[in-house]
Amino acid sequence: MRRAAALLAILLGSAASAEAPPPPAEGSVRIASFNAALSLPAPGELVQRLRLGGSKRIDIAAEIIQRVRPDVILINEIDHDRRGVAAALFRDHLRDGRGGAEGIDYPHIFTAPANTGAASGFDLDGDGRKDGPRDAFGYGRHEGHYGMAVLSRLPLDEAGARTFRETLWGDMPGNLLPAGHFGEAAGALRLSSKSHWDIPARLPDGRILHLLASHPTPPVFDGPEDANGRRNHDEIRFWVDYIGGADWMKDDQGRAGALAPGAAFVVLGDLNADPADGAARRGALQLLLALTDDPGPESAGGAAAADAGHRGDPALDTADWRAPPQGPGNLRVDYVLPSKGWEITGAGVFWPTPDSPLARLMGRGGPDHRLVWVDLR
């Protein structure tokens, strides 16, 4: 019933907003996750492009956000620089309406370094060099490639934020690290391909909502050792341990321990794992879904783009990829998973149907992931 109500809310949006969702119900906050595919292969290239006024892809990502109008949004694949200039410039870009949408302002930003492009000092891919994108702690052509940023209307407690970028993969009890494959490098490898963040946000009533953000590596692009598949599983399992009270982790600030019992949270990100289809090891994802209150956000566009032979409900899909055998097909890989106890007043995936006026924001020139949103009260 909840999923059907969320889809109905999308379809009941005004004619002016087409398949953009209506505003959240009174007293609700809208939380979103969006792999906006804004990363560029050269360091500083995204900053330069934003300073020059943007690009078609930047404008499409901005308009999608302006149509959905979340109060808090995690953006995956926005390049990180040491002063957070790219995130700030994209925030400024959002203030000007795009494609007939109204501009939106986010006074609060959180961004931090990622493992992507950060040199490991090892030849991890066996090509005889130590300076390639696959030799970094996380795949990347430059440091901060495929980074993350949180934009928020809610105040963020930056001093209280925890990052786990430097957490070693081998420190996770029961990890799936293929140590034999990596040899002497195994003990130095980090768990996060980008990072894991716990960012406290202050709700209008003064309570704290923990934003648990990450972007695990895709479970492909490796060999029979399944290093990426194993790492994807363990990156997702980190959240299972963290919200479940495990005490093995220590953050980059030196503080040990997991999320406090009873704390309100929402897990956000492109987790690169589908509960029914694709190449991921699904055990950790299934545990995470069981520990949270998954509203099952849907879209009519996803249902219309269904791939033959997939087991999962296509209305839940969030990524538009090539159908088999050329690709994995459309998958559900982007999530907004609140802790139990909230009233979920709406949820959806921004994926207009082919006959919608907003279908121009899909396909060529735009991101291959869809924005996912959930309204919480």
Side-chain angles (χ1 to χ4, degrees), residues 253-285:
Q253 297 74 35
R255 295 170 290 194
L259 187 67
F265 66 85
V266 58
V267 178
L268 299 165
D270 171 5
L271 301 186
N272 271 313
D274 183 295
D277 298 292
R281 295 170 177 249
R282 281 178 263 281
L285 177 63

Side-chain angles (χ1 to χ4, degrees), residues 61-77:
E63 184 179 344
I64 290 170
I65 294 169
Q66 290 166 349
R67 296 282 178 187
V68 180
R69 310 191 71 75
D71 295 296
V72 178
I73 182 167
L74 167 67
I75 300 176
N76 289 136
E77 296 196 11

Side-chain angles (χ1 to χ4, degrees), residues 73-159:
I73 182 167
L74 167 67
I75 300 176
N76 289 136
E77 296 196 11
I78 180 170
D79 292 338
H80 175 77
D81 53 88
R82 293 184 183 276
R83 294 188 296 126
V85 175
L89 287 173
F90 184 64
R91 183 268 307 275
D92 295 344
H93 198 77
L94 287 166
R95 289 174 175 152
D96 296 326
R98 310 284 165 178
E102 182 183 351
I104 189 169
D105 186 31
Y106 290 102
H108 307 285
I109 300 177
F110 183 91
T111 188
N115 281 325
T116 41
S120 70
F122 295 94
D123 176 17
L124 297 179
D125 60 359
D127 66 353
R129 302 180 57 176
K130 299 180 180 180
D131 59 354
R134 297 184 187 278
D135 300 318
F137 283 119
Y139 178 88
R141 296 186 180 277
H142 57 85
E143 196 161 347
H145 199 197
Y146 305 117
M148 307 190 298
V150 170
L151 307 182
S152 180
R153 292 172 166 179
L154 304 179
L156 302 177
D157 179 8
E158 292 192 46

Side-chain angles (χ1 to χ4, degrees), residues 329-345:
N330 300 343
L331 297 176
R332 183 190 185 193
V333 294
D334 304 271
Y335 296 87
V336 177
L337 299 172
S339 50
K340 295 181 179 181
W342 293 93
E343 179 187 0
I344 298 176
T345 58

Side-chain angles (χ1 to χ4, degrees), residues 208-368:
I208 297 298
L209 171 65
H210 291 262
L211 309 173
L212 308 183
S214 64
H215 183 191
T217 192
V220 289
F221 309 123
D222 52 18
E225 82 291 342
D226 193 28
N228 289 337
R230 292 167 178 268
R231 189 179 193 181
N232 173 275
H233 175 278
D234 284 354
E235 286 194 75
I236 295 171
R237 209 203 95 193
F238 176 88
W239 291 131
V240 175
D241 287 4
Y242 189 67
I243 65 182
D247 60 359
W248 62 266
M249 65 280 294
K250 180 182 291 186
D251 62 32
D252 300 331
Q253 297 74 35
R255 295 170 290 194
L259 187 67
F265 66 85
V266 58
V267 178
L268 299 165
D270 171 5
L271 301 186
N272 271 313
D274 183 295
D277 298 292
R281 295 170 177 249
R282 281 178 263 281
L285 177 63
Q286 290 168 346
L287 286 172
L288 183 61
L289 293 173
L291 286 171
T292 56
D293 192 2
D294 176 20
E298 294 184 333
S299 73
D307 292 306
H310 272 209
R311 295 181 293 273
D313 181 353
L316 298 171
D317 288 343
T318 67
D320 184 14
W321 288 325
R322 290 183 179 181
Q326 291 80 15
N330 300 343
L331 297 176
R332 183 190 185 193
V333 294
D334 304 271
Y335 296 87
V336 177
L337 299 172
S339 50
K340 295 181 179 181
W342 293 93
E343 179 187 0
I344 298 176
T345 58
V349 178
F350 183 82
W351 193 335
T353 54
D355 59 350
S356 165
L358 296 184
R360 59 183 170 77
L361 298 172
M362 307 291 106
R364 175 172 288 187
D368 52 7

